[in-house]
């Protein structure tokens, strides 16, 4: 397998699709998690600063005045503020620092428009601490008493912890996403390879199979899934192909054999006749013999053609037709023959039996059956009976002739099958196979029941349309 072929395999494409899909989905997921997480963390820092500022303001205002002495001892009443690592600074209304606590107390934070004051004058600012290169978040809020600006409180906190958390999250995402994508791609490659193994073996078997060698099978254990069903269908298809191939081969062999017999007879006639000079009458006799052999040949070739056409279902042109009239016409054709053999004809066909069928082919079907009935009956009667059932018509052609042994019943519809080929009757063993192929082309059924020495009944059921 070349590199390009390997890349174009289904398993490779499937793994590639899985990887692409997962990369897109996981990157989207990672960005979403990171953005949400960083904004939530920033918001929680700001919330904490605001809360601490409120606590600080409460602690510094006393009776409407700022009560701040050196070192902000009042704020020690809220020790938790310092414990949290906060920096707190109290400024008067002019922006002059009155007192400060905490690690970043010396960081200069300007107050926007200190003279304006008012409630709106709050702000957040992020500064860089030059000493340890840490970002510090500062919150400035005015200290008001009866709408009078007393001063400002500034609360600051390092963002180091938050940035650390975000960095760890980013590292976790950057490691886990490629890992997950890699694992999923390998997993899907292995899974698809396993799933497709039977398809590979189907391909190899199909490559091995030739028309002469149709007995190869996959024999894949039926897993009741799509691939299992495909393998089972492939095997049954091969079964059908092999059977029909064998049937065709048998048919060709039988046909050649049957065609050879009259040809050999003709060659023999020629050879014998040419041995010496003959009288004109003898030559005439030879021509008569030739004529009957050619007739046999012609009949057989026509029968073979009919069978071949019937197999392809090409020779049927169904239309609405009156079966009653057709059966009565066929009976009329046979009347002289029956009379000459002194056989009775029992015709019991109701009026106006209408079916959808091909009259030429149906005539051929009944002629074949009646031909056999007359051929194999020396005394008694030949019956043609028909009756209509629910959406179908049943026709029975019966005789009181030699009958058919039980062991032969299953084969008489086979091509070239003749029960006793040495019987003096004419025929090539194709009549009943043609009859059957006509019935099948009409979506009907043909059955035979027979009693040796008592006669046979061929029953045909044809759908009404
Ligand atoms: P064939 O040309 O020999 O008649 P068919 O296919 O029509 O070929 O019939 C096959 C064989 O079935 C015949 O050779 C004959 O032995 C047997 N058969 C068919 N119809 C009858 C029947 N009505 N009575 C007895 N035997 C029959």
């Amino acid at each position: 397998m070349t590199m390009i072929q390997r890349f174009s395999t289904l398993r490779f494409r499937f793994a590639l699709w899985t990887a692409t899909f997962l990369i897109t989905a996981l990157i989207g997921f990672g960005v979403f998690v990171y953005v949400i997480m960083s904004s939530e963390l920033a918001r929680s820092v700001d919330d904490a600063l605001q809360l601490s500022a409120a606590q600080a303001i409460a602690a510094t205002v006393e009776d409407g005045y700022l009560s701040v002495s050196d070192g902000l001892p009042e704020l020690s009443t809220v020790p938790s503020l310092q414990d949290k690592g906060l920096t707190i600074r109290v400024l008067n209304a002019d922006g002059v620092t009155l007192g400060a606590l905490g690690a970043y107390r010396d960081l200069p934070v300007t107050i926007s428009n200190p003279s304006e004051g008012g409630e709106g004058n709050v702000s957040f600012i992020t500064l860089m601490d030059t000493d340890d290169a840490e970002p510090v978040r500062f919150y400035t809020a005015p200290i008001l008493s009866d709408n009078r600006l007393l001063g400002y409180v500034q609360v600051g906190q390092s963002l180091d912890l938050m940035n650390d958390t975000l960095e760890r999250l980013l590292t976790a995402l950057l490691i886990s996403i490629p890992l997950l994508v890699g694992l999923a791609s390998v997993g899907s490659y292995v899974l698809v390879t396993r799933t497709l193994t039977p398809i590979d073996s189907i391909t190899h078997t199909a490559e091995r199979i030739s028309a002469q060698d149709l007995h190869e099978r996959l024999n894949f254990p039926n897993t009741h899934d799509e691939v299992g069903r495909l393998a089972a269908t492939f095997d049954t298809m091969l079964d059908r192909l092999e059977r029909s191939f064998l049937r065709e081969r048998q048919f060709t062999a039988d046909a050649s054999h049957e065609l050879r017999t009259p040809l050999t007879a003709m060659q023999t006639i020629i050879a014998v006749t040419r041995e010496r000079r003959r009288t004109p009458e003898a030559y005439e006799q030879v021509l008569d013999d030739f004529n009957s052999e050619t007739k046999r040949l012609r009949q057989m070739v026509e029968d073979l053609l009919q069978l071949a056409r019937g197999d392809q279902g090409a020779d049927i042109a169904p239309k609405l037709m009156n079966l009653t009239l057709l059966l009565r016409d066929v009976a009329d054709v046979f009347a002289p023959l029956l009379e000459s053999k002194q056989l009775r004809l029992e015709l019991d066909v109701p009026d106006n039996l209408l079916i959808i069928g091909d009259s030429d082919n149906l005539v051929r079907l009944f002629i074949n059956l009646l031909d056999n009935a007359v051929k194999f009956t020396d005394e008694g009667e030949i019956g043609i009976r028909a009756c209509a059932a629910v959406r179908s018509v049943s026709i029975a052609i019966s005789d009181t002739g030699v009958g058919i042994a039980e062991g032969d019943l299953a084969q008489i519809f086979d091509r070239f099958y003749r029960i006793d080929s040495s019987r003096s009757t004419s025929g090539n063993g194709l009549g009943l196979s043609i009859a059957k192929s006509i019935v099948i082309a009409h979506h009907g059924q043909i059955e035979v029941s027979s009693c040796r020495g008592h006669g046979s009944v061929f029953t045909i059921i044809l759908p009404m349309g």
Side-chain angles (χ1 to χ4, degrees):
M1 206 186 271
T2 66
M3 211 56 176
I4 293 187
Q5 275 174 330
R6 192 176 293 276
F7 286 158
S8 62
T9 56
L10 211 54
R11 66 200 74 167
F12 181 79
R13 273 189 286 159
F14 198 79
L16 202 68
W17 274 110
T18 313
T20 316
F21 173 75
L22 264 182
I23 282 181
T24 321
L26 287 178
I27 285 181
F29 171 75
V31 169
F32 176 76
V33 167
Y34 188 84
V35 168
I36 293 283
M37 195 68 179
S38 61
S39 85
E40 279 301 308
L41 282 178
R43 210 162 55 109
S44 72
V45 168
D46 287 355
D47 283 352
L49 288 178
Q50 258 175 325
L51 191 74
S52 308
Q55 281 177 297
I57 289 171
T60 47
V61 178
E62 207 173 273
D63 298 331
Y65 291 96
L66 270 185
S67 125
V68 183
S69 44
D70 215 17
L72 293 179
E74 291 80 0
L75 286 183
S76 57
T77 52
V78 269
S80 60
L81 294 181
Q82 261 182 296
D83 292 349
K84 285 182 203 159
L86 291 168
T87 293
I88 301 162
R89 188 154 51 192
V90 180
L91 304 100
N92 68 12
D94 301 323
V96 178
T97 307
L98 300 179
L101 269 180
Y104 307 105
R105 59 175 176 270
D106 296 330
L107 268 187
V109 184
T110 47
I111 299 159
S112 51
N113 262 337
S115 51
E116 265 180 21
E119 258 189 77
N121 199 8
V122 294
S123 66
F124 283 101
I125 189 166
T126 307
L127 300 171
M128 256 343 247
D129 177 23
T130 38
D131 289 349
D132 51 8
E134 272 182 12
V136 184
R137 183 87 167 152
F138 265 100
Y139 172 66
T140 307
I143 306 170
L144 299 166
S145 174
D146 301 330
N147 261 345
R148 222 162 26 88
L149 179 71
L150 301 181
Y152 297 94
V153 71
Q154 290 187 321
V155 188
Q157 189 181 25
S158 160
L159 290 181
D160 214 30
L161 198 69
M162 181 186 103
N163 286 349
D164 270 0
T165 311
L166 285 176
E167 223 166 80
R168 274 202 299 279
L169 176 67
L170 192 67
T171 318
L173 287 173
L174 286 179
I175 293 174
S176 62
I177 288 180
L179 210 70
L180 273 176
V181 170
L183 270 177
S185 309
V186 172
S188 73
Y189 187 87
V190 172
L191 205 74
V192 174
T193 306
R194 276 193 56 182
T195 316
L196 293 182
T197 308
I199 293 187
D200 266 350
S201 79
I202 291 180
T203 313
H204 289 136
T205 311
E207 276 167 359
R208 270 203 310 276
I209 289 168
S210 66
Q212 325 309 326
D213 183 29
L214 281 168
H215 59 267
E216 285 267 4
R217 294 291 179 275
L218 294 174
N219 289 328
F220 185 72
N222 196 355
T223 45
H224 299 289
D225 55 14
E226 289 84 343
V227 178
R229 278 205 301 277
L230 174 68
T233 312
F234 188 76
D235 277 355
T236 41
M237 187 193 75
L238 282 178
D239 276 347
R240 281 202 305 274
L241 269 179
E242 188 178 22
R243 268 203 306 274
S244 89
F245 184 75
L246 289 178
R247 221 175 27 237
E248 289 309 310
R249 198 147 64 178
Q250 182 64 39
F251 179 62
T252 316
D254 290 347
S256 324
H257 179 78
E258 293 294 323
L259 288 169
R260 211 170 48 192
T261 314
L263 289 172
T264 314
M266 285 156 90
Q267 259 182 334
T268 315
I269 294 169
I270 293 173
V272 171
T273 314
R274 291 203 57 176
E275 273 173 6
R276 56 188 164 83
R277 287 213 153 268
R278 308 271 173 182
T279 59
E281 291 76 26
Y283 283 122
E284 240 169 67
Q285 180 58 46
V286 168
L287 285 179
D288 284 347
D289 290 350
F290 249 80
N291 195 23
S292 63
E293 289 303 329
T294 349
K295 260 194 197 155
R296 258 182 80 187
L297 259 179
R298 200 193 137 108
Q299 181 61 47
M300 198 182 308
V301 172
E302 266 171 20
D303 285 351
L304 287 173
L305 213 61
Q306 162 96 20
L307 272 175
R309 284 202 196 123
D311 280 352
Q312 291 160 10
D315 209 23
I316 297 286
K319 47 180 183 281
L320 190 67
M321 48 160 285
N322 191 324
L323 187 68
T324 309
L325 294 183
L326 185 137
L327 286 172
R328 287 180 184 163
D329 284 349
V330 173
D332 284 347
V333 172
F334 274 86
L337 188 62
L338 291 169
E339 214 168 290
S340 71
K341 283 190 86 173
Q342 293 185 332
L343 295 171
R344 283 189 313 279
L345 173 69
E346 192 62 49
L347 184 68
D348 180 9
V349 181
D351 289 337
N352 281 328
L353 273 179
L354 298 179
I355 62 159
I356 292 182
D358 180 303
S359 50
D360 286 351
N361 277 294
L362 289 178
V363 165
R364 179 139 205 198
L365 158 72
F366 295 121
I367 285 186
N368 281 2
L369 293 177
L370 285 168
D371 198 42
N372 280 343
V374 177
K375 223 161 44 176
F376 298 107
T377 308
D378 291 329
E379 57 180 23
E381 65 160 53
I382 305 292
I384 305 176
R385 295 179 180 84
C387 67
V390 191
R391 274 189 274 167
S392 66
V393 181
S394 135
I395 308 119
I397 309 287
S398 62
D399 64 63
T400 51
V402 295
I404 303 160
E406 213 178 324
D408 291 314
L409 282 177
Q411 280 127 294
I412 55 166
F413 292 103
D414 290 352
R415 292 159 182 189
F416 297 111
Y417 188 80
R418 303 185 68 204
I419 291 174
D420 181 4
S421 37
S422 63
R423 273 181 188 176
S424 52
T425 53
S426 62
N428 53 27
L430 291 175
L432 286 181
S433 10
I434 291 176
K436 188 171 182 179
S437 82
I438 293 172
V439 173
I440 288 172
H442 281 80
H443 308 291
Q445 291 163 26
I446 182 163
E447 274 160 22
V448 58
S449 62
S450 186
C451 196
R452 196 101 171 94
H454 294 279
S456 320
V457 186
F458 286 83
T459 312
I460 298 134
I461 295 169
L462 293 176
M464 272 182 164

